[in-house]
Amino acid sequence: MIRTEKLTLDLTLTLPAIPDERDSCVRRLTELLEAKGLERVHLVREDGTARLCLHYDPERFTVTQVRELALAAGAPFSRRYCHENLRLDGMDCSTCADVVEHALGRMDGVLEASVSYATERLRLEYDAERTSSAAIVQRLRALGYAVIEEGREPGWWTKHRELILSLVAGALLLGGWLLGFTAAPTVLPLSLFIAAYATGGFFTFRDAWQSIRAGRFDIDTLMVVAAAGAAALGKWAEGALLLFLFGLGHALERIAMDRARKAIEALAELAPKTALVLRDGAEVEVRVEVLLRGDHVVVKPGQRIPADGVLVSGNSAVDQAPVTGESMPVDKQLGDVVYAGTVNGEGAIVIEVTRLARESTLAHMVDLVTEAQTQKSPTQRFTERFERAFVPAVLIGTTLLIAVPPLLGFPFSESFYRAMAALVAASPCALAIASPAAVLAGVARAARGGVLIKGGAPLESLGMITAIAFDKTGTITCGKPALTDAVACDGTEEELLRVAAAVENRSAHPLARAVVEAAYARGLRLPETSELESVTGQGLRATVEGKVVEIGNRRLFEPQALPENVERDLQRLEAEGKTTMVVRVGGRFLGVLALADTPRDNMEHILPALHRIGVRKTIMLTGDNERVGRAIGERVGLDEVRSELLPEDKVKAVNELLRRYRMVAMVGDGVNDAPALASATVGIAMGGAGTDVALETADVVLMADDLGRLPFAVALSRAARRVIRQNLWVSLGVVAILIPATLSGITGIGPAVLVHEGSTVMVVLNALRLLGFVEERR
């Protein structure tokens, strides 16, 4: 058998340019290194940092050779495979994303081009040996889009040009219409209508042309055909009205969507740009990007914390709401973890940086929320498939409406006009934006409340769940033992606890610490202890105030039988699933202490809140014994408890719940429960702040270690699903009503486009209501 050793290197040393460890360059590098003779190459995470783990045969390679091999292998990848995340200008409709993806995807050397209309972002990977950034930017410009430099905001004209042009078109249209009532030559109003075509339809013509060049037919194509048809019939006013209202609707839609985008961009602005670092005893202001692990940063009262780290000096209350959604500031002592973007309270503190700026919890949140917009929901995928089939069908139907009625004796001009009106009526603009707008607003609102929802699919699925399964330890319970009972059999509870804590204060066992904390919480002063003796598996003996004190389980006192009252209390407390300790001082039994992993403080509110918003079944899945599981379940009000489950048993339990309830969420810590989280319809991880594993493994992450955020997440998702359904009904309903109205001649092009664009703006505004979602509290 070959003896292997291993070496770990920061991934950023070998591949400094990649955006994250999921990039395809990581796969290329690992395959190359294994081909060069290393036994195994894979990724690990240590202290929140992605590292490359290299297993090698020490008889073939030295540590230095392995390091040089990895660095040398990674350098060509960094030079050849380039990654960019670009912000685009000119994304004025949802079909623009498809046009850009299709056009760039056909370029030689472009390996990935993923566009999010909601965030106006292009995620790009290309082979620098086959193309260049300049060539890609030039192709974008040819398509009518520009790249906005990071940190720069679009100018006033860029932001408002579509609205301005549409308003100019409206003014020209009004002028031409008014001239029609005067004795002015016909050419004057016609000139104004043509000018209205040019201004109101500028972006529509541009986008339609780009779509046609890409071999696609979209909503802009339908509008251009309808406007051209109206002009061919001499109905210039109606065509100008169509383009004016269509452009105005798009401008208003963009303004509304910008509001939702700003809600996400605000996350990135939470972290300060500079930090005060201690260097040679002096405070030096530096950019947060240059902070290194181990740097000591001074944070003054009221300032935002610039990096993830641990407290090494001072103490203060920190407002963690920007990251975790917690409503109250959290007291921080020496050694406690703090997060970038949170706000320091009234005390000056010094933190030691543990993560670089790009690795912070806040940076990870921003990346995940931004990336969530590219993950389409089932409804969004359905509407896109529907649109791809529907638009060509509308064009074919329009052609038939123009050609067939004249063959049956119907006037050509009338059939042509009605066909153009039907073309406008059938354009699914509202349908195209209905789901993306709701997903954008829902994900942004969730992030502001300390909940990460990774895209439209988890957002919709969470809104449909009927059952939730919970892990016990650290989820339903606090995850550490606490003193629940101090039953005095001879003397007082204070004497019992004071003596027991004096002995346990010399032990580091979790049960011992729980007893000591309970004594301090009651303000008890502990006497001195001497001659401490640990009896393995049984308990402790010590001398306190000149008397021998024994504390432990019943085996410590065998073969002597315990007094009847002590035995009775022991049996009662053990039946409740608690761990017990008997305390004896100088032959006198003082009483019994009971400890247990206690439920979270707010559990009595969380489960009823879940039931109120439509969750039919709550189930606990635990590896603990049946007695402990049942006791916790009954105490917090769970509907069902399944105990003594191994990790694989939890997966089977989740699958069985899926068969019974169809839509099931699983809540855990994201580490031990990863298989069960993956098996559920929606996996929900607790305490994602600072926990990369939780952020990576779950569909939904509660950033604070607070299950109280769960009802908010479920209620918001249900609200988002309602909004999506409302938007679909509005958009499809308008099409269903307008098509027969235009075909029958009841409605012309003008009213059709007015209703059509009104419905588009309506669904966007309806979606933006989610930004103001407030959880109902009772």
Side-chain angles (χ1 to χ4, degrees):
M1 183 176 178
I2 298 175
R3 182 172 67 90
T4 61
E5 293 183 4
K6 65 181 181 180
L7 170 70
T8 58
L9 296 173
D10 274 12
L11 185 60
T12 52
L13 291 176
T14 49
L15 296 172
I18 64 168
D20 54 55
E21 61 266 30
R22 291 164 293 177
D23 190 83
S24 53
C25 280
V26 176
R27 173 184 53 78
R28 298 186 188 108
L29 178 62
T30 56
E31 291 175 354
L32 176 63
L33 290 173
E34 288 176 354
K36 287 183 175 292
L38 299 188
E39 299 298 323
R40 184 184 173 218
V41 181
H42 63 103
L43 282 182
V44 295
R45 293 196 74 87
E46 297 176 1
D47 301 324
T49 304
R51 301 180 189 274
L52 206 59
C53 187
L54 307 124
H55 298 250
Y56 63 95
D57 180 355
E59 294 185 2
R60 292 185 59 191
F61 301 97
T62 65
V63 172
T64 302
Q65 288 173 331
V66 172
R67 182 188 299 274
E68 291 175 351
L69 179 63
L71 296 177
F77 285 121
S78 296
R79 288 194 298 268
R80 179 174 177 181
Y81 298 105
C82 301
H83 309 77
E84 296 191 40
N85 192 326
L86 305 177
R87 183 177 174 188
L88 300 183
D89 172 46
M91 300 276 292
D92 51 22
C93 64
S94 56
T95 54
C96 292
D98 296 329
V99 170
V100 173
E101 287 180 359
H102 185 73
L104 295 185
R106 296 171 63 183
M107 285 186 67
D108 180 45
V110 174
L111 305 176
E112 180 192 1
S114 177
V115 180
S116 166
Y117 165 62
T119 54
E120 298 181 317
R121 287 280 177 177
L122 165 63
R123 179 176 171 134
L124 188 66
E125 180 184 5
Y126 61 92
D127 185 344
E129 293 183 1
R130 294 157 60 196
T131 189
S132 66
S133 177
I136 294 170
V137 170
Q138 185 177 358
R139 180 69 178 122
L140 287 168
R141 285 176 180 157
L143 291 170
Y145 306 100
V147 175
I148 302 173
E149 292 181 20
E150 289 297 334
R152 286 189 58 185
E153 281 297 315
W156 184 87
W157 165 251
T158 301
K159 280 185 176 182
H160 301 97
R161 62 190 176 189
E162 192 171 8
L163 178 62
I164 292 169
L165 287 180
S166 63
L167 292 176
V168 169
L172 292 169
L173 172 62
L174 179 61
W177 179 70
L178 292 175
L179 282 175
F181 294 100
T182 69
T186 307
V187 70
L188 288 179
L190 178 60
S191 299
L192 292 179
F193 291 144
I194 292 173
Y197 261 67
T199 52
F202 177 82
F203 291 103
T204 306
F205 292 141
R206 182 200 68 177
D207 295 338
W209 172 240
Q210 296 300 343
S211 297
I212 293 169
R213 286 181 61 191
R216 304 172 65 91
F217 295 99
D218 58 20
I219 296 163
D220 294 293
T221 311
L222 298 185
M223 289 300 166
V224 168
V225 171
L233 289 172
K235 297 183 178 294
W236 288 93
E238 291 203 43
L241 178 64
L242 161 64
L243 293 173
F244 157 62
L245 291 175
F246 186 67
L248 180 63
H250 264 294
L252 295 175
E253 172 196 319
R254 183 171 182 174
I255 290 170
M257 291 291 283
D258 276 343
R259 181 183 169 198
R261 291 187 189 111
K262 283 181 171 58
I264 288 179
E265 290 170 1
L267 283 175
E269 299 301 318
L270 289 175
K273 305 299 181 188
T274 61
L276 288 176
V277 183
L278 289 175
R279 299 273 167 83
D280 298 325
E283 296 179 4
V284 181
E285 187 172 19
V286 301
R287 290 182 297 108
V288 293
E289 292 83 4
V290 302
L291 289 176
L292 301 174
R293 294 185 189 89
D295 276 346
H296 282 200
V297 175
V298 178
V299 186
K300 296 181 179 179
Q303 291 183 342
R304 288 192 181 272
I305 293 173
D308 284 11
V310 295
L311 201 65
V312 294
S313 177
N315 59 78
S316 184
V318 174
D319 179 4
Q320 298 190 156
V323 173
T324 67
E326 291 167 284
S327 58
M328 298 297 292
V330 179
D331 289 330
K332 297 290 184 178
Q333 309 294 331
L334 295 183
D336 286 348
V337 176
V338 294
Y339 307 114
T342 58
V343 183
N344 184 27
E346 296 182 354
I349 57 176
V350 178
I351 66 166
E352 182 178 309
V353 176
T354 57
R355 291 185 177 183
L356 305 180
R358 64 176 180 273
E359 300 170 345
S360 72
T361 298
L362 181 63
H364 209 159
M365 279 180 66
V366 173
D367 290 343
L368 288 173
V369 172
T370 303
E371 188 176 297
Q373 308 311 312
T374 64
Q375 299 179 18
K376 296 170 182 176
S377 71
T379 303
Q380 191 173 347
R381 287 195 295 268
F382 161 75
T383 56
E384 288 180 354
R385 289 196 303 269
F386 177 82
E387 186 185 333
R388 280 197 294 269
F390 185 66
V391 172
V394 168
L395 289 172
I396 294 170
T398 302
T399 304
L400 293 175
L401 285 171
I402 294 171
V404 174
L407 299 177
L408 302 176
F410 200 80
F412 174 77
S413 60
E414 185 67 22
S415 67
F416 190 89
Y417 179 80
R418 291 191 183 183
M420 293 302 101
L423 194 65
V424 172
S427 178
C429 274
L431 186 66
I433 197 63
S435 183
V439 169
L440 175 66
V443 170
R445 175 63 186 96
R448 205 170 70 222
V451 179
L452 283 187
I453 301 179
K454 298 183 183 178
L459 180 69
E460 282 197 40
S461 297
L462 186 60
M464 294 188 288
I465 60 167
T466 54
I468 302 182
F470 299 88
D471 175 45
K472 179 181 79 72
T473 305
T475 303
I476 294 290
T477 65
C478 298
K480 62 178 184 178
L483 184 73
T484 59
D485 301 86
V487 182
C489 300
D490 184 357
T492 65
E493 283 187 18
E494 285 72 16
E495 182 187 5
L496 167 66
L497 190 55
R498 187 176 71 89
V499 171
V503 177
E504 297 289 10
N505 197 31
R506 302 283 296 275
S507 171
H509 193 281
L511 295 178
R513 302 317 306 163
V515 173
V516 174
E517 287 173 8
Y520 283 138
R522 296 194 187 189
L524 301 180
R525 297 184 63 183
L526 307 186
E528 289 295 323
T529 304
S530 61
E531 300 178 15
L532 182 71
E533 175 191 359
S534 175
V535 184
T536 305
Q538 297 179 18
L540 298 171
R541 288 194 185 95
T543 299
V544 179
E545 296 177 332
K547 297 179 181 179
V548 175
V549 177
E550 300 165 288
I551 177 170
N553 56 38
R554 65 175 71 243
R555 292 200 306 272
L556 182 64
F557 307 97
E558 291 176 350
Q560 176 185 348
L562 295 174
E564 183 179 341
N565 59 338
V566 174
E567 184 65 43
R568 184 172 61 250
D569 289 331
L570 270 180
Q571 291 180 8
R572 175 178 61 82
L573 294 169
E574 288 173 354
E576 295 174 2
K578 298 173 181 176
T579 301
T580 56
M581 300 178 182
V582 177
V583 181
R584 184 170 66 180
V585 179
R588 170 174 152 243
F589 286 92
L590 287 188
V592 180
L593 301 177
L595 301 98
D597 184 4
T598 56
R600 292 177 179 269
D601 292 338
N602 53 354
M603 283 306 302
E604 67 272 17
H605 304 298
I606 293 171
L607 296 179
L610 290 172
H611 285 305
R612 280 199 303 272
I613 57 180
V615 176
R616 287 161 39 202
K617 196 80 169 178
T618 54
I619 309 100
M620 185 170 73
L621 308 178
T622 178
D624 260 342
N625 63 67
E626 196 265 340
R627 185 175 61 186
V628 172
R630 186 178 65 251
I632 292 291
E634 290 175 352
R635 182 170 173 182
V636 301
L638 287 158
D639 298 322
E640 185 178 335
V641 175
R642 301 189 184 187
S643 305
E644 301 179 8
L645 299 179
L646 297 172
E648 56 267 29
D649 297 326
K650 290 185 180 182
V651 174
K652 293 176 184 176
V654 169
N655 289 332
E656 192 269 325
L657 291 170
L658 285 168
R659 288 191 291 272
R660 283 169 54 191
Y661 299 103
R662 200 170 68 85
M663 304 295 286
V664 177
M666 172 71 192
V667 187
D669 61 10
V671 183
N672 301 326
D673 301 305
L677 293 177
S679 299
T681 309
V682 180
I684 304 173
M686 292 274 298
T691 309
D692 295 286
V693 176
L695 288 171
E696 296 295 341
T697 57
D699 303 304
V700 176
V701 182
L702 309 180
M703 295 303 292
D705 189 25
D706 177 15
L707 202 59
R709 293 281 81 196
L710 182 59
F712 162 76
V714 176
L716 174 62
S717 297
R718 275 166 159 61
R721 189 163 174 267
R722 282 195 301 272
V723 166
I724 290 171
R725 287 204 309 270
Q726 291 164 0
N727 285 354
L728 290 180
W729 280 113
V730 168
S731 52
L732 292 173
V734 166
V735 171
I737 292 170
L738 282 182
I739 288 177
T742 51
L743 290 176
S744 63
I746 296 174
T747 299
I749 289 178
V753 73
L754 186 62
V755 174
H756 170 275
E757 287 308 309
S759 67
T760 302
V761 175
M762 183 189 300
V763 298
V764 173
L765 294 177
N766 188 43
L768 293 189
R769 290 192 302 118
L770 292 170
L771 290 175
F773 175 82
V774 178
E775 181 185 0
E776 180 182 357
R777 297 183 183 274
R778 298 188 184 182

